[in-house]
Amino acid sequence: ANPSSDGCNVDDGIFDTPNAMDKNYSCKNKNLNSCIDATGDLPDMTENYMDYALDGCAAMFTKEQAFIMRYVLNNFRTGLPLRKINFDTFSDYKEPVVSVFPNPTKLGKDVHILVNFIDDNANYIASIFDSNGKEIVKLKIKANILEALSTSTFAASIYYLKITDENGKIISKQKLVIGL
């Protein structure tokens, strides 16, 4: 989750990182748990490079952080690496993994949707429903392509996001909070 001065309510959209109240500049307390989540509660990632950990304790990225980092390097920052980076963590995505961020978001800001999957040719449909169950947005998404959804026409409310594959199988359902 996103270490930030906004506290536990801000999330980075990476599902295998726990929420943290603030940035971590210390190695002293490896059991620090600044945000108590209702289920699946994990301690802060004091050893995570992306949590501003000190050199003495920085030791890892999560699997999804590594996937997103490699994806960006291979597709958007191709001038940086001298060689193609192998997706050694790719085998962990036998089923599609959906990232939606930022969530919650402010009105007028884009919400990004990324479906990580081993098959770059896979297609998905993202449907957004209002609180009455009416579908208000339907968006085609390709695997491993970051899609931006503008919220400029949305009212401040709680919405529901459903992502299905080409056969209509639901691969993700989640709440989307905009402007609250």
Side-chain angles (χ1 to χ4, degrees), residues 15-27:
F15 296 113
D16 62 355
T17 61
N19 287 340
M21 180 64 73
D22 204 354
K23 300 169 199 72
N24 177 41
Y25 295 115
S26 173
C27 302

Side-chain angles (χ1 to χ4, degrees), residues 49-177:
Y49 283 106
M50 294 182 82
D51 191 18
Y52 302 96
L54 297 173
D55 288 342
C57 57
M60 56 83 67
F61 293 99
T62 67
K63 288 180 181 181
E64 194 170 340
Q65 286 173 336
F67 174 85
I68 291 171
M69 178 177 50
R70 288 181 176 134
Y71 178 80
V72 168
L73 288 173
N74 282 332
N75 293 281
F76 301 105
R77 302 296 304 270
T78 55
L80 291 179
L82 300 175
R83 61 178 172 77
K84 186 83 168 167
I85 300 169
N86 291 327
F87 283 91
D88 58 350
T89 58
F90 217 91
S91 62
D92 294 330
Y93 296 98
K94 292 182 175 101
E95 294 292 324
V97 176
V98 177
S99 299
V100 179
F101 55 93
N103 186 17
T105 192
K106 296 178 182 173
L107 283 172
K109 299 289 184 180
D110 287 350
V111 172
H112 295 90
I113 303 170
L114 177 65
V115 180
N116 298 328
F117 191 54
I118 197 164
D119 181 2
D120 284 336
N121 296 316
N123 295 302
Y124 301 93
I125 301 292
S127 300
I128 298 178
F129 300 88
D130 64 16
S131 59
N132 294 319
K134 179 182 175 191
E135 184 177 54
I136 57 171
V137 172
K138 194 172 202 172
L139 178 67
K140 291 183 180 182
I141 296 177
K142 287 193 67 69
N144 306 316
I145 301 292
L146 187 66
E147 294 287 342
L149 171 69
S150 173
T151 65
S152 61
T153 60
F154 285 68
S157 187
I158 296 174
Y159 297 89
Y160 301 93
L161 171 67
K162 176 177 79 172
I163 300 192
T164 57
D165 66 13
E166 293 174 304
N167 300 318
K169 177 184 172 191
I170 298 172
I171 62 164
S172 178
K173 291 192 302 185
Q174 55 189 283
K175 183 171 53 170
L176 183 59
V177 179

